[in-house]
Amino acid sequence: MDSSVLSIIIILIAILSFGLEKIPLPMTAMLASILMGISGILPLSDVCSGFASSNLMMVAGMIVIGNSIFETGLASWLGLRLTKSFITRNERGFLFAIMIFSSALSAFLSNSAVVAVCIPIVGSIVLKANGRIVNKHIIMGVGMAAAMGGACTLVGSTAQLAAQQVLVSTPGCRPMGFFELGKVCLPLCIILAIYFSTIGYNLQKKYFTFPDVNVLALSSGQLEDPKEQTIENGEQFHYRMVISGLVLCFCVVGFISGLWDVSIIALIGAAVVIVTGCISFRKAMATMDWNTVILLGFVQGLAEGLDASGGGRLIADFILGIFGGENASPSILLIVGILISTVLTNFMSNTAVLAMITPIFINIGFAIGIHPEVFILGCVIGGSTALATPIGTPCVTQTLVAGYRFKDYVLVGLPVTILLTFVTCLLCPVMYGFHPL
């Protein structure tokens, strides 16, 4: 069998497995990458080559730093400062503020971890609000804001890291800059928060007729008196909070300035938070997101196999044939990439989607003589705007704790998904442009 066809078959099997999730995503990536190797599509030495990339080391270092922010209580402390202000007097205002807070933190920390912190903070405020604020009108917005905010930088979510892993391993491609996604995602975060505090809030009031759920009881175990269950972590400010916060600032400044390689900056930061006791080495290893590390390590093998075999070019030529071949409009192809990413991510992991379509759109860019980074940026952002179901991004899935039904996400999330996708299609060509090879 031709190697290009065989690689496509392996990719299709992987996509099916990613969608069904009967096997953990990292295991699917590992097995598919191994298949690429033992079938001769990829040299066996390249199957695990992704684990030697500086991108993966940056991810590991930033996971440790992010976990130290939560371990020291800095994230909870910041959240409590926010929720103890005047904004809790009005539900719409509180919803807008907590969504901006969730987006901002998610840009630099794991968006799933941010949601895990924000849910009990919201639950604590609700218990004290005497019905003025309810969980079901807040929690969904928090999760969706984290999903969108996580796409503003390279480190907020694993989807863009999967795409970056492919870009850095492909000759002729430029890796994404640390804040490059934010050119489009930052406006999208603001639009999302405005939507939820206006149209989305009205839709929630109309359709969320189910009883409000005590999210504290569900996430931490039911107490005899739920009113006693409040979140006070992070109340006492201490020096480790300062250290972990300063380390995060150092990394961000280092990434922007290009001081050293991103992996070196992140690993220095990780070493500092461990040595200073912000997080113990044992806890750093125990809380390491090994799923992300393993998935990213093997994603490169998949992409290399698809590219080396010619399978990526075969799929790219098929898509190009539909839209006019090598004379196809870059704008149309960008929109196609954004739509494919958005639609698929509503039904399967955004990380898996980006791992599969990135090598295809790299080939499309090369085929029409355009630097492919603009297509990859569009696909990454498109996957982050997929908010019509609770499936694609873990931080949205986490909001199910508030008692939402699948149809609730469709009723509130579909309109804003369409809006954000439309804005993405408009902004990407303006912010990134189409640059000839």
Side-chain angles (χ1 to χ4, degrees), residues 318-360:
F318 174 75
I319 295 174
L320 285 174
I322 297 174
F323 296 98
E326 294 183 0
N327 296 318
S329 165
S331 297
I332 296 297
L333 292 172
L334 175 60
I335 292 172
V336 169
I338 293 169
L339 291 177
I340 289 174
S341 182
T342 303
V343 171
L344 289 181
T345 300
N346 273 299
F347 301 100
M348 61 185 291
S349 162
N350 58 350
T351 303
V353 170
L354 265 298
M356 296 299 100
I357 67 175
T358 295
I360 294 170

Side-chain angles (χ1 to χ4, degrees), residues 239-251:
Y239 77 93
R240 288 191 179 92
M241 292 183 183
V242 177
I243 293 173
S244 61
L246 288 176
V247 167
L248 179 61
C249 292
F250 159 76
C251 290

Side-chain angles (χ1 to χ4, degrees), residues 78-89:
L78 291 171
L80 287 169
R81 299 286 77 74
L82 173 72
T83 56
K84 287 185 176 181
S85 66
F86 68 93
I87 63 169
T88 58
R89 298 173 188 172

Side-chain angles (χ1 to χ4, degrees), residues 166-247:
V166 179
L167 283 172
V168 298
S169 65
T170 304
C173 286
R174 173 186 61 81
M176 292 180 283
F178 187 79
F179 277 116
E180 197 166 6
L181 289 161
K183 295 177 182 179
V184 173
C185 289
L186 183 58
L188 295 182
C189 287
I190 296 171
I191 291 171
L192 180 64
I194 293 173
Y195 167 84
F196 257 92
S197 56
T198 54
I199 298 171
Y201 181 80
N202 293 336
L203 289 173
Q204 290 184 114
K205 295 276 284 188
K206 180 179 180 180
Y207 293 117
F208 293 2
T209 55
F210 53 87
D212 200 39
V213 173
N214 178 12
V215 295
L216 290 177
L218 290 175
S219 60
S220 304
Q222 180 68 56
L223 297 183
E224 291 184 8
D225 183 2
K227 291 185 178 180
E228 296 298 320
Q229 188 173 356
T230 58
I231 302 301
E232 302 297 341
N233 293 335
E235 285 274 359
Q236 300 300 319
F237 195 82
H238 54 82
Y239 77 93
R240 288 191 179 92
M241 292 183 183
V242 177
I243 293 173
S244 61
L246 288 176
V247 167

Side-chain angles (χ1 to χ4, degrees), residues 83-105:
T83 56
K84 287 185 176 181
S85 66
F86 68 93
I87 63 169
T88 58
R89 298 173 188 172
N90 177 271
E91 192 171 46
R92 287 180 189 263
F94 176 61
L95 175 58
F96 181 86
I98 197 71
M99 286 184 69
I100 294 297
F101 174 76
S102 177
S103 296
L105 276 189

Side-chain angles (χ1 to χ4, degrees), residues 14 18 86 126 158 164 178 185 202-203 209 246 300 314 343 355 381 406 414 427:
F18 282 137
F86 68 93
V126 168
T158 57
Q164 181 82 332
F178 187 79
C185 289
N202 293 336
L203 289 173
T209 55
L246 288 176
Q300 186 171 314
L314 197 63
V343 171
I381 297 168
F406 189 92
L414 182 58
L427 288 182

